[in-house]
Amino acid sequence: TTKPMVHIVGYWTAPEEAGKPRDVKVYSNAPQVQLFLNGKSLGVKDRDSSHDLASSPRVWQVAYEPGAIKAVARNGATEVTDERTTPGAPYQIILESDVTKLVSGDPESMAYLTATIADKNGHVVPSAYHSVSFALYGPGELLAQTWPGYPTGLTWNVVAGKTRFAFRSTARSGMAVISAYSPGLKMGRIELDVSGAGKPNEMN
């Protein structure tokens, strides 16, 4: 992409490695990237033009300590950032969708939803492998996962704190409410509008 970007690879979660050096790899198309750990600068790295890649990764060796690691990429006056924060204990499920509105009666009208196990502050917990159950009230249908070795139907395990599933519209119309539940965690919930021209809201 030509749009300014910066991306820290992986998460900043390794309590068993406190004080040990870890490689932190950062991708960016900016000329300069500066890395910070808990507000302290770990130095600036310029783009390396000796590699075949237009934007080869920049790598820092960092002694692990919990907190926040942040990359700041600069290109003139333009500045973009990416950050990873050590999460706390699993607390909630966050549900997000790539769309908020679907077309009633169109089987090709779909939403892809991401369920994330997060701590109280909304940071993903990559060590989480909970089983999550999904439920729907309203129009549309959740597409059950049927991969070998996984729980079937509308309950399955997250991987590294996340899972993704699909929701498809049906002939009915109205507001669909999708919930995600796992014992001991705050439930996640999202609403999606399934509507069509001239169709009443059947969920009123």
Side-chain angles (χ1 to χ4, degrees), residues 3-190:
K3 183 179 178 181
M5 62 78 62
V6 62
H7 175 75
I8 300 172
V9 177
Y11 297 100
W12 193 243
T13 307
E16 71 285 353
E17 296 184 13
K20 297 179 181 178
R22 298 186 72 200
D23 284 346
V24 177
K25 185 183 291 186
V26 180
Y27 283 93
S28 177
N29 55 7
Q32 288 190 328
V33 177
Q34 187 172 11
L35 195 67
F36 295 86
L37 176 59
N38 294 327
K40 180 182 177 182
S41 175
L42 302 178
V44 176
K45 289 188 182 289
D46 296 325
R47 181 161 42 209
D48 187 350
S49 57
S50 64
H51 288 268
D52 294 334
L53 292 173
S55 299
S56 58
R58 288 162 239 209
V59 181
W60 285 258
Q61 266 215 335
V62 182
Y64 179 80
E65 64 178 64
I69 193 158
K70 179 180 180 181
V72 180
R74 299 183 182 92
N75 187 355
T78 302
E79 185 175 289
V80 291
T81 65
D82 190 27
E83 187 170 333
R84 300 285 182 272
T85 301
T86 305
Y91 172 78
Q92 61 183 321
I93 301 173
I94 297 174
L95 270 182
E96 298 171 295
S97 175
D98 64 338
V99 298
T100 57
K101 190 171 184 177
L102 290 88
V103 179
S104 173
D106 179 2
E108 299 299 319
S109 182
M110 299 179 69
Y112 292 93
L113 293 96
T114 301
T116 301
I117 307 293
D119 66 8
K120 196 172 276 191
N121 296 314
H123 302 303
V124 61
V125 182
S127 59
Y129 289 88
H130 296 61
S131 261
V132 178
S133 298
F134 299 93
L136 165 67
Y137 174 77
E141 62 176 340
L142 296 171
L143 302 186
Q145 184 163 239
T146 57
W147 295 349
Y150 279 75
T152 58
L154 298 176
T155 298
W156 58 87
N157 296 335
V158 300
V159 177
K162 293 192 176 192
T163 191
R164 208 162 189 228
F165 64 99
F167 171 80
R168 179 167 58 197
S169 74
T170 57
R172 297 172 67 200
S173 59
M175 193 65 71
V177 181
I178 302 165
S179 301
Y181 170 79
S182 185
L185 299 180
K186 183 179 178 182
M187 182 184 295
R189 182 168 289 171
I190 194 170

